[in-house]
Amino acid sequence: MHSKLNHQHSSSLIVNYINTAYRSLTKDNINLFLSIFGLAIGLAASFLIALYAINESAYDKYQPNIDNNFRLVMQSDSGNKYALSTPRAYRKIKNIEGVADVAFLMNTHWFSDNKIQIGTNFLKLKESYSTTENINDFISLNTLHGDLSVALSQPDRIALSRTESMRLFGVSDSVGKTFVKKANNKIWTVAAVFADIPNNSHFAFSSLVAAAPYENVRGNIAHLYVSRLPMANTEQIANGVTKIFADIWHWENAQYHLQPVADIHLSENFSTDMKVGGSASNVTISIVLSILLLLISSFNTINMSIAQAGHRAKEVGVRKVLGASKLQLVGQFLLESIALTFVSALIAAVLVELYLPNFNQLIDRQLSVGNWSPFILPIVVTTIAIGIFSGLYPAIFIASFNIKRVLSGDFRRGKSAVIVRKTLMVFQSALSIGLIIAAINLYLQLAYLQNLPVNYEKSHRLMVKDAPVAKIFSKDSESLYQALTNIDGVKSATAIDFDLTDKSNAGFFVKSVAGIENFEPSLSHGGVGFNAVQTLGLDLIAGRDFSAQYAADWYSSTNASSAIIIPESLLGQAGYENAEQAIGKVWVYSAGPAQNIAGTIVGVVKDVKIGSVRNQSLPLVLVCGLPIGVYSIIIELDHLNNTDTQSNSEIQKQISTLLGKRLAMSPVEIQSIQTNYQALYQGDERLVQVVAIFSGLAIVLTCIGMFGLAAFSAQRRKREISIRKVLGASPLTLVNLLTQESIILVGISIFIAFPCVYLLLENWLSYFNERIAQSFSIYIFSAFTVVFITCLTVSFLAFKTATAKPSQVLRSE
Amino acid sequence: MIKLTNLTRVFRTENIETTALSNINLTVSNGDFLAIMGPSGCGKSSLLSILGLLDSATQGQYTFDEDDISTYKEKQLSQIRKAAIGFVFQSFNLIDELSVFENVALPLLYQSGKNKVDKSTIKESVETILKQVGIDHRANHFPQQLSGGQQQRVAVARALVIKPKLILADEPTGNLDSKNGQEVMAMLRKLNENGTTIVMVTHSENDAKYANRIVRLFDGQIISDQAEIPHSDSIVEVSDA
């Protein structure tokens, strides 16, 4: 018989290696699948996190002159920081040596309710900021239509973002279109439309107007940016700024710093920021998690390779006899490892494309991998590196098999590999236990923070935003609140000039307190109406609520007087031994436009925590009848009803109708305080979710690894098992024999994991003022979970081995 | 070609010492067909390993082709081995993932330096050898698809493809039935007649008859070394008369 020889046979070593690798690997499907799958998961997760981390770190990097642009941040000696300043200092700052340019951005909601009318539609401008003409030097704004400088230099002109233009006018090019400002019936014209600010910037606004009208505003309400000359000394500039502000406010201890704009996104978040920032610690945690996951996957791969080594022993022996050098053998197996990693990388790429939308939802970002080409090189390099990392030891191990022993069939896998495998297993197991403990503690700490007493009542409270100040914050407003209370289901109502779940809008500056030399803590101002304590659900320790019964409570500019309610935390500093002592005392203060007002303390409440625990917030002093900021009505509902159910829509309708009529408000925006509060912690909840997912993945991977090790052990001890069986051992005894090894490994890993995790968590928790104590039961639970999963996985395999027929195994090859 | 002088091989593991070979003196000349025989544990395999440069002696001298290689390191031994020695094992030791052609080509792929072989030569050599042992019609098949006899033929082809100075066979018919065994032994006989030096370890007196010299080992020492009259192919001891 004559047959044509196949010309595709390997006639070079590399091809030989590839053929061998492919055929050998495809023989053992399960282990191959697990290995590739595990690595793919680790790679995919790392890539997603890398995308996230890169994106977070690059916020604002595209802005012009980014290396020389800074934001002004004030720090008082009590450690509190404030990111807004008064625009009045604008011109003076320009004159400081080293300063090239100054710009500011100010949210116009301080001065205007921004309600407008277009045709017959009543709308409200969103995020409208006034800014200086040179803002283009600080922000990369792409003008799509019209002329931005016109919008910023002329009155009654506005520049809209593209999205805002679409929202208001339905077209992108709305230059020349007009709307009416409801407050003063003035006609405004759109002078320019600019491209939406990209996501990767801390700047966030929907429209821009000229700064000129607001340059002399007294309050600290502007975001001030400074551009320095290239070689200028930042310290010097900061000191210069500090001096300027000290002259304006006559403070002694407010130090200004220059914060690089590129650092803003990941630095601490201020409630006054234009949008919610990121968190450097979240980025760090995510990076650490992804590295851990990658490590676990790599360890799995190493374990699998070593386990498979036995199957390749004969081949290795033969190749050595035929002349392969150790280097060639190492090379052969490294090549296999790298090839495997590449396959995993490909699968990882597919996984990334599939899960990117979900991931974006999880972290509230809009990451995308449009075009993979910029990623190709780093991915290839990483893949090769991981291939080498997870393939090197197994390759060296395999290449050093003793020829003689292999060929004579008396091959034992060698002690050293087993130790390595078991060590890796211990680490993986420890990592998994550690991750579970960390995830649970993370969740508990965040839940704890979320449930910290805020000392105001969130439930049964509604907030009606942006009501006209004159009508709700006047002494005669009482009839309005009476009418509200008369609605069936409403218990009480009052006015408020700040948002409990967000921030207060003004500072409260104490000029003097009788008997105290220097009373200078930084405080927040909270302007409220009568019955504030009742309506807001504050915890009154001493004294009484603001009440219409005491006419003198209300702020009077003629008398330069008002009643105030102070927080408990100030008692000590003011020199009062207890809350009762404070009642009746007078503090002279300034807040907003009001200067040197005599504030009589009528009540003391437990400190109100405004916004999220993460935010810096200063102790809040309540002032009766002095509104500064954004004006709303707080309504307390009868406690019998649940604020969020359908039964309340009736009540809300009535409120809406009443306010619409009495205050000519349109639309009437009603929010639930409870809902707003919960929204504060979304970011933290996301972090917990991410950690939970990663921990879950880590456990899955560890199980895979556990499975591999168990299979390896079972395989190695097949003969022993069979012999024991022949000698009379029961399946149960044999299962115990095999699972023993794994249990001991997990036991060791517990000893390693517990102290490490404990210390790490203590370190992390120490950064919180309020923190949980670590509970040992969590540790027990985590260890138990891993032990349980191990037992399950290993027992299953052990059982299979223990029930195999001995004769098949004891027969020699 | 080969001269062993006072060769000793001692295995040390932890606290146990085993002397596998003790004061071996042996000479193998070009064209010899040597059969090494002895009971289990007598040191045959150890002797073969040393002869095949797979292992080094603890004491004594090994001269291969005029060179004293007693103190050579693995790297140097490997160089000599891959160019000059072909192995035939009891359990064939073919690589299951490679086809017959690829298995036979493998030793050529590992040649290096001045011995490096180019692609076309490899193809040629392999095809020739496969024809020679009569297995060319199975060149694309894998070892698992062949019978024991066929696998051993492939192994012999692989040993021959580098045109070795010496062939070492370790119980070449151990895993074969009598018919296939005879065929393999006949093949070896023929190779020897054409000039290839062969050293074979066996415990089969039948197989030993194909050799022209029998060295008997016992407890690590040579107890006899006799030239034998080689039997022709047709004379084979029949088990039942």
Side-chain angles (χ1 to χ4, degrees), chain A residues 463-482:
Chain A
M463 176 166 69
V464 179
K465 291 198 92 165
D466 293 333
V469 58
K471 302 218 175 104
I472 66 169
F473 254 110
S474 97
K475 266 181 119 164
D476 312 313
S477 308
E478 264 317 284
S479 64
L480 171 66
Y481 297 115
Q482 262 311 117

Side-chain angles (χ1 to χ4, degrees), chain A residues 1-13 15-17 19-21 23-25 27 311-312 314-316 318-325 328-329 332 402-404 406-408 415 813, chain B residues 9 11 14 45-46 49 54-55 74 78 81-82 85 87 89 91-99 101-103 105-107 109-111 119 122-123 127 130 136-140 142 144 158 175:
Chain A
M1 193 166 33
H2 180 69
S3 91
K4 207 165 164 192
L5 284 174
N6 193 328
H7 293 279
Q8 284 156 340
H9 291 301
S10 22
S11 15
S12 80
L13 262 185
V15 177
N16 181 288
Y17 291 164
N19 276 340
T20 312
R23 292 171 195 155
S24 135
L25 292 171
K27 261 204 306 198
H311 298 181
R312 312 290 293 276
K314 195 179 86 169
E315 174 195 343
V316 169
V318 170
R319 283 181 185 264
K320 271 198 171 179
V321 167
L322 297 181
S325 68
Q328 280 171 315
L329 285 167
Q332 175 184 353
N402 184 305
I403 302 181
K404 272 190 53 187
V406 166
L407 295 177
S408 63
K415 277 188 180 175
E813 202 189 30
Chain B
R9 181 65 172 104
F11 287 101
E14 292 171 2
S45 298
S46 306
S49 297
L54 294 175
D55 192 14
E74 167 61 23
S78 165
R81 184 173 66 231
K82 71 183 178 189
I85 306 179
F87 290 85
F89 299 98
S91 48
F92 325 135
N93 281 334
L94 297 177
I95 296 181
D96 294 335
E97 288 84 21
L98 299 177
S99 69
F101 184 99
E102 287 161 352
N103 265 291
L106 199 54
L109 292 178
Y110 282 123
Q111 298 302 311
K119 272 195 186 171
I122 291 180
K123 194 157 149 341
E127 285 172 5
L130 288 178
D136 54 306
H137 60 294
R138 299 289 221 137
N140 296 345
F142 290 84
Q144 308 89 300
R158 181 179 66 185
N175 284 9

